[in-house]
Amino acid sequence: MEFLYTHETLKLEFPLVRPEEAKYVILGVPFDGTTSYKPGTRFGPTLIRQATLNLESYILDYDIDIAELPIADIGDIAIVAGDPRKTADRVRETIEELRRVNPDAIPILLGGEHSQTLGAVEALKPASYVVFDAHLDLRDSYEDNPYNHACVARRIAELGIREALFGIRSGTKEEVEFAKENGISWVHARDYDFDSFIELVKPLPEPVYLSIDIDAFDLSLVPSTGTPEAGGLRFWDVIEAVEWLVENKKVVGVDIMEVGGTELGNVTALTAAKLLFYIIGALAR
Ligand SMILES: N=C(N)NCCCCNCCCN
Ligand SMILES: [Mn+2]
Ligand SMILES: [Mn+2]
């Protein structure tokens, strides 16, 4: 099928199926409009796809070859430059289009700014939002824009969706107060462990949307991201949490956001591509 707002980009490491037959549907959102520090997330989806060429499709510890799974890639959203809300509308409409032809497929977004997660959440209407991020993203508005990437968790909370945030090490006093007043629980990167994840996520209602802002990882793993922060999570900590989540909760959508850089094969893209393979593998286990 043809989607109104997407165009084809680089192929991934493995063969692909049509979206109608897929269980996992990859969608790029190359939006880069509200990042205040390091630009480059517009190249995120392309960089991640290209970095997959370095990886084996066989996942050793799962004994799964993701090349044998029904995966589609519907290309990248044609973004509206400078307008995160209009671009997120296109994300929402594209996922709605997908759901009409294949309601069971799990969309996997590659970004692109975190602001674009809102469009996916609006389309999929999860009961809970589980996010790995260095930032709380609970501002009401930032740089006069309520759809800035620093506000995405706030916009999602306002939809009545329950939230749990992990890997946090940046926020304002106001954001912390908002979280407290609205029952939003979060774990500082310093305090993060597997038990803290299970404790907060276990009681959350289903279905769940999983968002991974790549800046949740330690800076050494993700130097090319919009707003890097030292002191983040380890790769296997996040993988372990993803495994538990997909095994114990119904997950309706996933994203890997804020991947940036200008150099093919950059460290951040390699981290994101490996994460992508593990997420697909874990969903298929
Ligand atoms: N979700 C995000 N990536 N948020 C980024 C917020 C940027 C805060 N800069 C503060 C700079 C103070 N000089
Ligand atoms: Mn972040
Ligand atoms: Mn974020």
Side-chain angles (χ1 to χ4, degrees), residues 114 132-135 137 149 213-216 227 258:
H114 211 179
F132 287 88
D133 200 330
H135 308 89
D137 287 351
H149 66 160
D213 180 330
I214 207 76
D215 65 30
T227 51
E258 298 279 341

Side-chain angles (χ1 to χ4, degrees), residues 77-231:
I77 292 283
I79 59 125
V80 183
D83 195 328
R85 179 63 265 186
K86 286 207 175 102
T87 305
D89 286 340
R90 292 181 170 191
V91 172
R92 174 174 48 75
E93 285 176 45
T94 302
I95 295 176
E96 286 168 354
E97 271 183 280
L98 171 66
R99 290 216 116 188
R100 281 196 285 277
V101 297
N102 186 346
D104 299 322
I106 300 179
I108 303 176
L109 264 65
L110 305 179
E113 276 184 21
H114 211 179
S115 53
Q116 300 310 305
T117 294
L118 181 61
V121 166
E122 287 168 338
L124 296 166
K125 300 183 172 41
S128 303
Y129 175 70
V130 172
V131 58
F132 287 88
D133 200 330
H135 308 89
L136 286 167
D137 287 351
L138 287 169
R139 283 178 150 101
D140 192 24
S141 178
Y142 192 57
E143 291 173 338
D144 288 331
N145 192 343
Y147 297 104
N148 186 289
H149 66 160
C151 311
V152 62
R154 175 80 167 249
R155 296 289 87 82
I156 290 170
E158 286 167 353
L159 299 172
I161 295 168
R162 296 271 305 276
E163 299 192 341
L165 291 60
F166 302 95
I168 303 298
R169 52 204 188 273
S170 170
T172 61
K173 201 176 169 73
E174 290 73 28
E175 287 178 281
V176 172
E177 276 159 13
F178 179 85
K180 195 176 254 167
E181 283 159 16
N182 291 275
I184 297 170
S185 38
W186 58 276
V187 179
H188 197 287
R190 249 185 121 137
D191 303 321
Y192 179 85
D193 64 14
F194 189 46
D195 290 342
S196 71
F197 180 80
I198 295 176
E199 190 187 321
L200 295 193
V201 173
K202 209 175 218 168
L204 290 180
E206 296 169 82
V208 176
Y209 184 93
L210 169 64
S211 180
I212 301 176
D213 180 330
I214 207 76
D215 65 30
F217 289 106
D218 189 71
L219 194 49
S220 52
L221 296 173
V222 294
S224 301
T225 185
T227 51
E229 286 274 343

Side-chain angles (χ1 to χ4, degrees), residues 47-64:
L47 291 167
I48 299 170
R49 287 189 185 87
Q50 202 277 339
T52 66
L53 304 182
N54 178 52
L55 304 177
E56 299 291 358
S57 59
Y58 179 69
I59 301 182
L60 284 168
D61 37 343
Y62 293 175
D63 186 24
I64 285 179

